[in-house]
Short mmCIF file of all heavy atoms in Angstrom, two decimals:
data_model
loop_
_atom_site.label_atom_id
_atom_site.label_comp_id
_atom_site.label_asym_id
_atom_site.label_seq_id
_atom_site.Cartn_x
_atom_site.Cartn_y
_atom_site.Cartn_z
N GLU V 22 3.83 13.37 20.62
CA GLU V 22 3.80 13.99 21.94
C GLU V 22 2.40 13.78 22.50
O GLU V 22 1.43 14.14 21.84
CB GLU V 22 4.05 15.51 21.83
CG GLU V 22 5.45 15.87 21.36
CD GLU V 22 5.53 17.30 20.83
OE1 GLU V 22 4.66 18.12 21.19
OE2 GLU V 22 6.44 17.56 20.05
N HIS V 24 -0.17 14.58 25.70
CA HIS V 24 -0.46 15.29 26.94
C HIS V 24 -1.48 14.48 27.74
O HIS V 24 -2.56 14.20 27.25
CB HIS V 24 -1.01 16.69 26.67
CG HIS V 24 0.04 17.66 26.24
ND1 HIS V 24 0.38 17.84 24.92
CD2 HIS V 24 0.84 18.49 26.95
CE1 HIS V 24 1.35 18.76 24.84
NE2 HIS V 24 1.64 19.17 26.06
N LYS V 91 7.51 28.96 29.76
CA LYS V 91 7.43 28.91 28.31
C LYS V 91 6.46 30.02 27.91
O LYS V 91 5.27 29.94 28.22
CB LYS V 91 6.91 27.54 27.88
CG LYS V 91 6.71 27.35 26.39
CD LYS V 91 6.12 25.95 26.13
CE LYS V 91 5.90 25.71 24.66
NZ LYS V 91 5.29 24.39 24.40
N GLN V 103 3.50 29.50 30.27
CA GLN V 103 3.10 28.22 30.84
C GLN V 103 4.23 27.73 31.73
O GLN V 103 5.39 27.78 31.32
CB GLN V 103 2.86 27.20 29.71
CG GLN V 103 2.46 25.82 30.20
CD GLN V 103 2.55 24.76 29.09
OE1 GLN V 103 3.36 24.88 28.18
NE2 GLN V 103 1.71 23.75 29.18
N THR V 105 6.33 24.91 32.94
CA THR V 105 6.59 23.58 32.39
C THR V 105 8.00 23.20 32.78
O THR V 105 8.58 23.81 33.67
CB THR V 105 6.37 23.61 30.86
OG1 THR V 105 6.69 22.34 30.30
CG2 THR V 105 7.23 24.66 30.17
N HIS V 135 7.79 15.21 30.93
CA HIS V 135 7.90 16.32 31.87
C HIS V 135 6.54 16.73 32.42
O HIS V 135 5.50 16.39 31.86
CB HIS V 135 8.63 17.51 31.23
CG HIS V 135 7.93 18.15 30.08
ND1 HIS V 135 8.35 18.00 28.77
CD2 HIS V 135 6.84 18.95 30.03
CE1 HIS V 135 7.54 18.69 27.98
NE2 HIS V 135 6.62 19.26 28.71
N GLU V 137 3.85 19.69 33.61
CA GLU V 137 3.52 21.07 33.28
C GLU V 137 2.06 21.33 33.61
O GLU V 137 1.31 20.43 33.95
CB GLU V 137 3.80 21.37 31.80
CG GLU V 137 2.99 20.53 30.82
CD GLU V 137 3.39 20.78 29.36
OE1 GLU V 137 4.53 21.21 29.10
OE2 GLU V 137 2.55 20.53 28.48
N GLU V 138 1.68 22.61 33.50
CA GLU V 138 0.29 22.97 33.78
C GLU V 138 -0.48 23.11 32.47
O GLU V 138 0.09 23.45 31.44
CB GLU V 138 0.22 24.30 34.54
CG GLU V 138 0.81 25.46 33.74
CD GLU V 138 0.78 26.78 34.51
OE1 GLU V 138 0.15 26.83 35.57
OE2 GLU V 138 1.39 27.74 34.02
N LEU V 163 -0.41 18.20 34.03
CA LEU V 163 -0.22 17.40 32.82
C LEU V 163 1.13 16.70 32.87
O LEU V 163 2.08 17.23 33.44
CB LEU V 163 -0.20 18.29 31.57
CG LEU V 163 -1.41 19.13 31.21
CD1 LEU V 163 -1.07 19.98 29.97
CD2 LEU V 163 -2.61 18.24 30.91
N LEU V 164 1.19 15.54 32.21
CA LEU V 164 2.49 14.99 31.84
C LEU V 164 2.56 15.07 30.32
O LEU V 164 1.61 14.71 29.64
CB LEU V 164 2.62 13.52 32.26
CG LEU V 164 2.70 13.21 33.75
CD1 LEU V 164 2.87 11.70 33.95
CD2 LEU V 164 3.85 13.96 34.40
N GLU V 165 3.68 15.57 29.82
CA GLU V 165 3.89 15.51 28.37
C GLU V 165 4.89 14.41 28.10
O GLU V 165 6.01 14.42 28.64
CB GLU V 165 4.39 16.86 27.84
CG GLU V 165 4.55 16.83 26.32
CD GLU V 165 4.96 18.17 25.70
OE1 GLU V 165 4.57 19.22 26.22
OE2 GLU V 165 5.69 18.12 24.70
N ASP V 207 -0.32 14.84 19.86
CA ASP V 207 0.16 15.65 18.74
C ASP V 207 1.12 14.76 17.97
O ASP V 207 2.09 14.26 18.54
CB ASP V 207 0.90 16.90 19.23
CG ASP V 207 0.01 17.79 20.09
OD1 ASP V 207 -1.23 17.71 19.95
OD2 ASP V 207 0.55 18.56 20.90
MN1 MN X 1 3.15 20.67 26.46
#
Side-chain angles (χ1 to χ4, degrees):
E22 293 162 22
H24 284 89
K91 177 182 180 182
Q103 179 193 30
T105 177
H135 65 253
E137 61 185 24
E138 61 181 350
L163 299 176
L164 291 182
E165 183 176 327
D207 300 337

